[in-house]
Amino acid sequence: MAHSAINVFLEGNNISRIIGGLWTSVWIAAVSLVLGLALGTILGVLRTLPNKVIRFVLRLYLEFFRIVPTIVLLYLAYYILPRTFHVNWPASWMAVLAFTLWVAAEFSDIVRGAIESVPKSQRESGLALGLNKMQLFRYVLLPQAAKLELPATINLATRVIKTTSLLMMISIMDVVAVGQQIIEANNQQYPNAVFWVYGLIFILYFIIDYPLSAWSKRLTAKHSR
Amino acid sequence: MNWQIIDQSLPIFAKAFQLTCWLSLVGIIGSIIVGIISSLIQYFKVPILSQIFTAYVELARNTPLLIQLFFLYYAFPVLGLKMSAETCGIIGLIFLGGAYMAEGFTGGFNGVNTSQINSGKALGMNDLQLAHYVVFPQGFALSMPALAANIIFLIKETSIFSVIAIPELTNTALDLIGMYYRSNEYLFVLVVAYAIIMIPVILILSYLEKRVRYGSFGN
């Protein structure tokens, strides 16, 4: 009976375990976003500089992350770091590393695009006021670029949050992995639990991501008007 | 890095490569069809249907493909609907991709300059004529960047099919790693395989994007 299987959430501490799993997903997404946006800003600024070598290297970096699926990035961090470089971090930090580099790559492109679309007169006015290069970026270009890049940044954040669903693939106890355990443990008593548990996780992701993407959409609509 | 091991694994990867290409192709074509239907319904504000499709687009875009696949593959059989892993994969990919495509096309239609629409009205066009001669040709051109981004995104999303044991590239690499413990070699082949698929696709799409940019009018 479908309606009785919902009781699976009341068994033991299932609800608090799901919330715990969700917390794992959320902190990994949050830390990766903060680090990735910081690194991505630096890389994005570097990509607007005239130095050809830097631009070429950073372009390669970006293209690598555009080509390789995120799930493969997770495996690369998970298998290659410990075996080849003898780095023995917990899996969650491997995930943070992979996500951070991915976010930085994508964000560097957003930052570069935004800086390049700040009107030329702004850059020239800044230089005319005697600002040096650092000041020009700090006070003129980056603040204006930040406004332009906000919708794309929020979209990137929603993608990072959705991608945390892959964490269980490198044996992190995220919300999906907890859900699987609950389903397996209660399979005898609640054969329909699979429906409710995945349904709940589906809704949880929607509750986190929908407001963000609605916000981004509203900002985009405002810009184009 | 042991080249002999790579060499031995190539026939297995070749099969997986074909499967990834095939699943991507079906997923992309299906997504474009669903996306066009959905964006047309939203554009013409067909009563009831347009609300349903708006809800669909939001639901599919704001949830991970992995959960959508788990739902199709593990939860639907409980309700009496059993499908093969590949069917689930394709349905899931089209469910997700259709929403992304719909969003892209809708963005293109909405981006058409109002002066263009007003000019059409001034020429005495009715709504259907406006849509056919003014909004769609320009709207599709405007949605080209989104279409290109979505195609790249969908090809990469096929890697998530590995969670429901479809033997595409990522799943194959994981299987081999599990059997022979040669992670460096197999991950290397995996990355190269994705590069072989993605680099031509990215180049072709950016070429098309540049060509289509001349298709916009006004301004």
Side-chain angles (χ1 to χ4, degrees):
Chain A
M1 288 290 266
H3 65 265
S4 64
I6 198 169
N7 290 327
V8 71
F9 297 126
L10 306 175
E11 292 283 330
N13 49 4
N14 281 353
I15 274 286
S16 64
R17 288 186 58 210
I18 286 182
I19 292 170
L22 191 67
W23 170 243
T24 306
S25 310
V26 167
W27 82 253
I28 290 178
V31 174
S32 317
L33 269 168
V34 170
L35 296 177
L37 294 185
L39 181 61
T41 308
I42 297 169
L43 298 183
V45 169
L46 288 177
R47 286 188 60 199
T48 63
L49 300 180
N51 188 324
K52 279 215 173 92
V53 179
I54 294 180
R55 279 166 67 161
F56 179 72
V57 171
L58 291 179
R59 184 68 201 270
L60 277 187
Y61 172 75
L62 168 70
E63 293 302 333
F64 176 78
F65 283 90
R66 270 180 83 186
I67 286 169
V68 180
T70 328
I71 192 168
V72 179
L73 294 177
L74 285 176
Y75 288 126
L76 287 176
Y78 187 65
Y79 282 113
I80 291 184
L81 282 183
R83 285 198 190 168
T84 309
F85 298 100
H86 304 288
V87 180
N88 278 312
W89 294 349
S92 45
W93 284 105
M94 302 280 189
V96 168
L97 178 73
F99 278 10
T100 300
L101 294 178
W102 165 52
V103 171
E106 298 248 353
F107 193 60
S108 77
D109 211 39
I110 297 172
V111 169
R112 182 196 55 85
I115 288 177
E116 280 170 3
S117 53
V118 172
K120 218 177 162 193
S121 61
Q122 292 289 328
R123 175 191 288 267
E124 285 162 356
S125 316
L127 290 175
L129 285 171
L131 299 182
N132 64 30
K133 213 145 208 174
M134 274 306 258
Q135 290 170 324
L136 187 69
F137 275 105
R138 165 79 184 75
Y139 296 108
V140 181
L141 297 177
L142 285 176
Q144 296 189 50
K147 224 173 155 186
L148 294 172
E149 79 216 0
L150 192 55
T153 312
I154 300 166
N155 270 338
L156 182 60
T158 64
R159 278 170 51 208
V160 173
I161 292 166
K162 282 192 288 181
T163 311
T164 58
S165 63
L166 304 178
L167 291 174
M168 62 135 203
M169 298 304 291
I170 57 168
S171 57
I172 294 174
M173 281 311 279
D174 74 330
V175 66
V176 186
V178 171
Q180 277 183 326
Q181 284 191 342
I182 292 175
I183 291 165
E184 276 158 28
N186 298 281
N187 207 15
Q188 290 287 329
Q189 213 179 342
Y190 303 103
N192 287 346
V194 61
F195 189 81
W196 291 99
V197 172
Y198 287 144
L200 177 71
I201 295 172
F202 188 86
I203 293 168
L204 285 174
Y205 270 106
F206 184 78
I207 290 173
I208 299 175
D209 258 6
Y210 177 68
L212 286 172
S213 64
W215 180 26
S216 148
K217 216 188 243 179
R218 229 185 39 222
L219 288 173
T220 316
K222 229 193 256 168
H223 269 303
S224 59
R225 217 168 283 145
Chain B
M1 197 75 88
N2 184 333
W3 294 100
Q4 206 185 341
I5 288 178
I6 292 182
D7 202 42
Q8 283 167 351
S9 70
L10 286 183
I12 307 173
F13 270 107
K15 247 194 197 151
F17 185 88
Q18 282 176 0
L19 188 60
T20 291
C21 291
W22 170 242
L23 293 171
S24 305
L25 189 71
V26 176
I28 289 166
I29 293 173
S31 302
I32 291 176
I33 295 171
V34 172
I36 289 176
I37 294 172
S38 165
S39 60
L40 288 182
I41 287 172
Q42 285 173 302
Y43 183 77
F44 287 111
K45 298 203 170 62
V46 181
I48 306 170
L49 273 183
S50 79
Q51 276 90 348
I52 293 174
F53 273 88
T54 306
Y56 150 66
V57 168
E58 294 302 341
L59 213 56
R61 281 183 68 234
N62 291 305
T63 48
L65 179 61
L66 180 122
I67 304 292
Q68 297 170 1
L69 291 178
F70 274 6
F71 219 78
L72 284 170
Y73 192 62
Y74 295 116
F76 271 34
V78 176
L79 302 178
L81 188 63
K82 219 173 181 148
M83 292 175 288
S84 76
E86 285 181 27
T87 314
C88 288
I90 288 176
I91 292 176
L93 194 64
I94 294 176
F95 178 78
L96 178 82
Y100 272 86
M101 294 289 182
E103 195 69 9
F105 291 134
T106 306
F109 297 158
N110 292 337
V112 175
N113 211 312
T114 38
S115 69
Q116 290 285 321
I117 295 169
N118 290 337
S119 314
K121 277 185 190 154
L123 289 171
M125 289 183 174
N126 63 31
D127 274 355
L128 267 181
Q129 286 174 319
L130 265 179
H132 182 204
Y133 294 110
V134 181
V135 177
F136 294 158
Q138 298 187 40
F140 280 122
L142 287 176
S143 54
M144 190 60 205
L147 179 71
N150 290 341
I151 288 175
I152 293 170
F153 167 72
L154 288 177
I155 296 175
K156 292 205 286 183
E157 288 289 281
T158 59
S159 62
I160 296 174
F161 290 174
S162 57
V163 299
I164 53 170
I166 297 177
E168 45 68 68
L169 283 170
T170 305
N171 185 268
T172 303
L174 288 180
D175 257 9
L176 288 170
I177 291 172
M179 279 190 283
Y180 303 113
Y181 297 104
R182 286 287 184 168
S183 45
N184 289 0
E185 284 83 357
Y186 296 134
L187 286 173
F188 174 75
V189 179
L190 181 63
V191 170
V192 171
Y194 276 115
I196 294 173
I197 300 177
M198 299 304 291
I199 290 173
V201 170
I202 290 174
L203 289 177
I204 292 170
L205 287 173
S206 60
Y207 171 75
L208 283 179
E209 240 177 273
K210 267 179 211 138
R211 284 295 298 269
V212 166
R213 215 168 277 164
Y214 298 107
S216 56
F217 307 95
N219 307 322

